[in-house]
Amino acid sequence: MDKEKTRDEEKQQKDTSFDLSDYTIIKEGEAEILMHSKNQVFYNKTQVNNRDMSIAVLRTFISQRKLEHESMLDRRVKTGPKVPDKSVSEMEPPADSVQYNGKSNDGYELLEEMSSDEPCSISGAPTRNLQGKDREELKPARVLEALSASGLRALRYAREVEGIGQVVALDNDKVSVEACRRNIRFNGAVACSKLESHLADARVYMLTHPKEFDVVDLDPYGSPSLFLDSAVQSVVDGGILMCTATDLAVLCGGNGEVCYSKYGSYPLRGKYCHEMALRILLACIESHANRYKRYIVPVLSVQMDFYVRVFVRIYSSASAMKNTPLKLSYVYQCTGCDSFHLQPVGRTISKDNRLRYHPGFGPAIPQECSDCGKKFNMGGPIWSAPIHDQEWVASILADVKSMKERYPAYDRICAVLTAISEELPDVPLFLSLHNISATLKCTSPSAVMFHSAVINAGYRISGTHMNPLGLKTDAPMHTIWDIMRCWVKNHPVKAQPSNQAGSVILAKEPVLQANFAQAVASLSKAQAKKVARFLPNPERHWGPKLRAGRQITERIVKMLVGLGR
């Protein structure tokens, strides 16, 4: 009796350390988490867009993975011994994990269990995605969330995405791991059967688990550069790496020397800086992958809110890796006008039925800008190959629209994906119509008129999801300036000093006579149907939140009030 009394007292002491009144229940999608009032573990409401986009991409990846596996089996049947037919149902995860009804669980019944410090383990041995000729059955996907904090993202993956067998959540902060394990139990049997949490350094864990995960998710508070080398090694061939960078001040040119030290690329402060940030991150991931005879294939690259997010598939091939210099370029940005030019790092020539690799031709530009006579700043190297796979984008968008009720941030991610689906895939960086007009000190033509002039001149043009005024076009800069010269002739500007960039540009006669008559393709399908592509923030001060452990002080309140004015 005394021993039982002692155990009861110890249990009661543990239970008193967990007071529900200190926590707030946060529900997002089908997951629920307990957040402490003292901000002990980092949670960012703004990242609901990020999490929804990741779930949408993950669902498409699971479907694509099945199709690729079935295609491999079909080829094996045609070229080798017959492979036993495996139905789709045999490839699905266990029924108890798939048939979860998605309704809110009665978490209060689990509060007594949550005081325990023991991790919530996966039932049964982990199902590793084996690579090799003997693989016949597709194993459920394994997901690694390298920086889990409260575990909300990992919980949503486990509960909302069918076809996932295991989710491993890591954090090197003991309080975060305890919170993650508490939240796993709070979400019931489905979460406990799929999700496990570990106290570990993500870099060490990924290095000691090479090519074991079909999906690796990096979403750090700041730069992901510390984790990239180990992340590219832990993804299986054909797997997907999902990576976020929130240090946009660095990536967009605020601290060029810091960006170079972290990402190996120098940024430029042009209007296209957010797209350049995406391309710098992609070039950095490719560089890390190349060290292990691997390379990346981007399927979706997004700039939203205060961060950039890329989704890349990783493959191993020593021969394909040689094409990396063809996908990278340096950028020359004129200091006087909006003109920019790209210099590829490498090129190929065919000789004696063999493909040979050579350094890129140079210089790509003269010492002074041919349009305004000013000098150039040089940045890069950046990823200059396509940053999206438009088939994936169309598939993701269709999936999101078919499951509208399952995405809390449906409106925002649908708008972003719609804008991405209309981007020119093979045109790096973009121009700003208002910035071009500001250079010439003239009124700006409407977007429809400018689009029409470019199309009538025989070139392509589109918008970009990063800037409502951004223009992607394959028209050379001299054609762009000719169109603007023709515009200014009909909309005269005041006399400006002759040494200004705009005056130098307007002093030249246009070679091309622009036609501003509205072209059929001047409006995209989304514009023609008046589909929203750029939505306002849902609330004030929508952005990155305080790090875990920090409290909102009077100084921070004054700063926020000042920003809101």
Side-chain angles (χ1 to χ4, degrees), residues 63 68 86 173 178-179 191 194 210 224 238 272 286 324 347 359 399 547 559:
S63 300
E68 291 172 358
K86 298 289 182 181
D173 178 60
E178 290 173 354
K194 287 188 176 184
Y272 49 68
E286 174 80 348
T324 292
R347 61 188 172 92
D399 176 78
R547 281 182 181 270
M559 182 182 68

Side-chain angles (χ1 to χ4, degrees), residues 7 33 57 118 135 233 237 300 338 362 468-469 476 492 554 563:
R7 282 197 295 267
I33 62 171
V57 173
E118 295 179 4
R135 186 182 70 174
Q233 299 180 65
D237 284 345
L300 181 67
D338 259 15
L469 301 174
E554 186 176 340
L563 290 173

Side-chain angles (χ1 to χ4, degrees), residues 127-395:
T127 53
R128 182 176 177 180
N129 185 20
L130 301 176
Q131 303 291 322
K133 295 181 179 179
D134 296 329
R135 186 182 70 174
E136 294 182 357
E137 182 179 349
L138 183 65
K139 305 294 183 183
R142 297 185 70 207
V143 180
L144 173 68
E145 193 198 356
L147 306 152
S148 63
S150 65
L152 176 58
R153 185 186 299 265
L155 284 164
R156 291 196 63 189
Y157 288 166
R159 294 187 60 168
E160 297 181 34
V161 183
E162 296 181 3
I164 288 181
Q166 180 189 37
V167 181
V168 177
L170 305 177
D171 208 295
N172 65 351
D173 178 60
K174 185 177 180 181
V175 176
S176 296
V177 174
E178 290 173 354
C180 184
R181 291 171 179 171
R182 184 188 309 125
N183 290 328
I184 292 172
R185 293 185 180 87
F186 188 69
N187 280 265
V190 173
C192 286
S193 67
K194 287 188 176 184
L195 182 56
E196 63 183 29
S197 177
H198 297 291
L199 177 65
D201 187 317
R203 295 167 296 181
V204 176
Y205 190 92
M206 290 187 288
L207 283 173
T208 53
H209 294 77
K211 294 187 178 182
E212 284 197 15
F213 293 96
D214 300 281
V215 181
V216 172
D217 192 321
L218 292 178
D219 188 15
Y221 193 103
S223 172
S225 58
L226 291 173
F227 307 96
L228 293 179
D229 197 76
S230 50
V232 297
Q233 299 180 65
S234 63
V235 183
V236 301
D237 284 345
I240 191 167
L241 171 64
M242 308 190 289
C243 180
T244 302
T246 60
D247 56 336
L248 283 188
V250 170
L251 283 165
C252 291
N255 300 93
E257 67 283 0
V258 176
C259 182
Y260 191 84
S261 67
K262 289 183 176 180
Y263 298 96
S265 183
Y266 210 95
L268 295 174
R269 301 189 70 174
K271 284 294 182 180
Y272 49 68
C273 61
H274 290 111
E275 181 174 343
M276 191 171 191
L278 274 174
R279 294 181 179 276
I280 287 174
L281 179 57
L282 289 171
C284 184
I285 298 173
E286 174 80 348
S287 173
H288 285 284
N290 285 171
R291 297 166 197 175
Y292 307 101
K293 297 182 180 179
R294 313 192 87 184
Y295 67 99
I296 68 170
V297 178
V299 295
L300 181 67
S301 306
V302 180
Q303 187 272 315
M304 286 195 302
D305 300 319
F306 54 91
Y307 58 87
V308 291
R309 175 83 161 164
V310 297
F311 304 85
V312 300
R313 300 192 70 179
I314 296 182
Y315 299 92
S316 298
S317 172
S319 58
M321 183 193 69
K322 295 179 181 178
N323 292 320
T324 292
L326 310 179
K327 306 171 188 175
L328 303 176
S329 296
Y330 290 96
V331 184
Y332 293 89
Q333 173 66 59
C334 177
T335 58
C337 64
D338 259 15
S339 300
F340 65 84
H341 306 270
L342 270 66
Q343 167 67 62
V345 172
R347 61 188 172 92
T348 58
I349 60 173
S350 182
K351 187 175 181 180
D352 300 330
N353 295 325
R354 292 182 60 189
L355 198 64
R356 298 182 179 273
Y357 295 85
H358 292 271
F361 276 128
I365 53 169
Q367 286 289 317
E368 297 179 348
C369 177
S370 58
D371 296 309
C372 70
K374 303 294 182 180
K375 299 289 185 180
F376 287 94
N377 286 329
M378 188 182 81
I382 65 169
W383 180 272
S384 53
I387 59 176
H388 314 295
D389 184 322
Q390 289 297 347
E391 291 185 3
W392 273 68
V393 174
S395 179

Side-chain angles (χ1 to χ4, degrees), residues 61-69 129 138-141 214:
F61 170 71
I62 296 293
S63 300
Q64 185 67 23
R65 182 170 169 265
K66 287 182 180 179
L67 292 175
E68 291 172 358
H69 180 74
N129 185 20
L138 183 65
K139 305 294 183 183
D214 300 281

